[in-house]
Amino acid sequence: MKLLRYGPLGREKPGIMDGEGNIRSLSEFVSDINGTTLSEENLQRLQAVDISSLPIIDADVRLGACVGNVGKFICIGLNYADHAAESGMSIPSEPEVFTKATSAISGPNDDIIQPRNSDKLDWEVELAIVIGKETSYVNEEDAHEYIAGYCVCNDVSERTFQLEKGSQWDKGKGCDTFGPIGPWLVTRDEVKDDNNLSMWLEVNGKTFQNGNTKTMVFKPAYIVSYLSQFMSLQPGDIISTGTPPGVGLGQTPPLYLKPGDKITLGIEGLGTQKQRVVEHK
């Protein structure tokens, strides 16, 4: 299933994408797409619904973040060896963990707001994992059973805030609009191999990132297992798993986003995002 949320910011409603690309309302069955909805029992109930009988929603409707009421937004840094190299950093021996503020979450096609005093605004296409049930001390072999699905994430970053203002990355990762997720949450049963998904990102029509999850240092199942050794994971939590090479920081010379730039990014089977950079008012 391709689950989504649509409507004005803060008033999103639950929906599902049918086989013809139509958005259908799920309001009759669930109040939102969130941690509660993502239990195995609820997902099985939704899979039994005759989607063709559901009301069709206007195709021009705004798409919100594909998961609502997110408790934790966890990210893995330097998880592609070639991206670590372009960043001038060593490949970590264990996953490099940081968080994005949940207030950074935005819709897949919402504007990216360049923060005040920002001069190194960057992009990162990433595969995001959405947790489906409470996870604690899970083995890597069993970790996939705790994943509800996957979505596209743009891990928008401000490199000055991230790398030049102390040792903590979070300042450059958690600004408002720095976490577009969606357009859909694709349930685990529709993703045959999360270790082999092509991914790409363009800025103003030029391709900068063209990678595949098969070059990850730490694979999705390992990441879920690893994180569960240090914190419990709850349904609806998001884990963004790192980016392939081609970010602005890695260009020669470095290239950063500015107001008016347009970003398009996507992952095989998980849909496409389109964003415009705007100046903070």
Side-chain angles (χ1 to χ4, degrees):
M1 293 182 291
K2 293 180 174 66
L3 302 175
L4 54 89
R5 301 168 72 245
Y6 65 89
L9 180 64
R11 303 198 305 274
E12 291 90 349
K13 297 180 179 180
I16 190 169
M17 184 71 68
D18 69 17
E20 285 70 51
N22 298 309
I23 298 172
R24 304 269 186 167
S25 171
L26 277 178
S27 294
E28 178 184 348
F29 299 95
V30 293
S31 60
D32 200 356
I33 305 299
N34 54 26
T36 300
T37 309
L38 299 178
S39 70
E40 290 184 12
E41 180 181 358
N42 281 332
L43 289 180
Q44 290 174 359
R45 185 164 61 91
L46 290 178
Q47 285 175 331
V49 171
D50 178 10
I51 296 177
S52 65
S53 68
L54 302 178
I56 294 179
I57 305 303
D58 187 340
D60 293 329
V61 71
R62 171 188 174 269
L63 292 179
C66 59
V67 184
N69 196 31
V70 174
K72 291 193 288 295
F73 194 171
I74 308 166
C75 299
I76 307 299
L78 306 176
N79 197 29
Y80 290 71
D82 32 15
H83 170 58
E86 73 172 352
S87 301
M89 300 179 185
S90 301
I91 299 172
S93 58
E94 296 190 27
E96 187 76 40
V97 180
F98 63 93
T99 60
K100 291 177 87 80
T102 54
S103 54
I105 294 173
S106 59
N109 304 319
D110 290 347
D111 291 342
I112 293 172
I113 301 172
Q114 183 172 26
R116 294 174 183 173
N117 304 312
S118 162
D119 58 0
K120 295 180 181 178
L121 187 64
D122 208 345
W123 59 82
E124 297 188 16
V125 59
E126 303 198 1
L127 172 70
I129 295 165
V130 183
I131 296 297
K133 59 182 177 180
E134 182 146 356
T135 310
S136 182
Y137 297 105
V138 67
N139 295 323
E140 182 178 358
E141 295 75 16
D142 301 323
H144 272 115
E145 298 177 14
Y146 293 79
I147 297 174
Y150 305 86
C151 63
V152 181
C153 175
N154 187 356
D155 176 19
V156 184
S157 307
E158 213 300 326
R159 302 303 188 188
T160 298
F161 298 178
Q162 176 191 356
L163 302 173
E164 300 175 28
K165 292 186 178 293
S167 61
Q168 301 303 312
W169 286 12
D170 298 30
K171 294 189 293 290
K173 296 287 191 172
C175 302
D176 292 354
T177 73
F178 273 26
I181 57 171
W184 322 298
L185 186 165
V186 181
T187 51
R188 188 180 75 236
D189 59 295
E190 291 198 11
V191 179
K192 302 306 180 186
D193 186 1
D194 58 12
N195 294 322
N196 187 16
L197 298 173
S198 59
M199 52 205 307
W200 55 274
L201 182 145
E202 298 175 353
V203 179
N204 299 328
K206 179 180 178 180
T207 300
F208 283 90
Q209 292 188 275
N210 187 10
N212 192 293
T213 58
K214 65 186 178 183
T215 65
M216 281 184 177
V217 178
F218 304 107
K219 305 302 184 183
Y222 179 85
I223 290 169
V224 172
S225 173
Y226 180 85
L227 290 175
S228 78
Q229 312 305 309
F230 304 101
M231 66 189 83
S232 62
L233 304 171
Q234 279 74 42
D237 284 352
I238 295 171
I239 306 168
S240 203
T241 59
T243 197
V247 301
L249 175 66
Q251 305 304 308
T252 307
L255 177 67
Y256 297 111
L257 297 165
K258 59 185 183 301
D261 285 345
K262 296 180 179 179
I263 309 166
T264 307
L265 60 148
I267 297 178
E268 178 185 353
L270 303 185
T272 301
Q273 299 184 354
K274 294 183 178 181
Q275 295 124 22
R276 179 183 57 143
V277 179
V278 300
E279 188 175 2
H280 191 288
K281 295 181 180 178

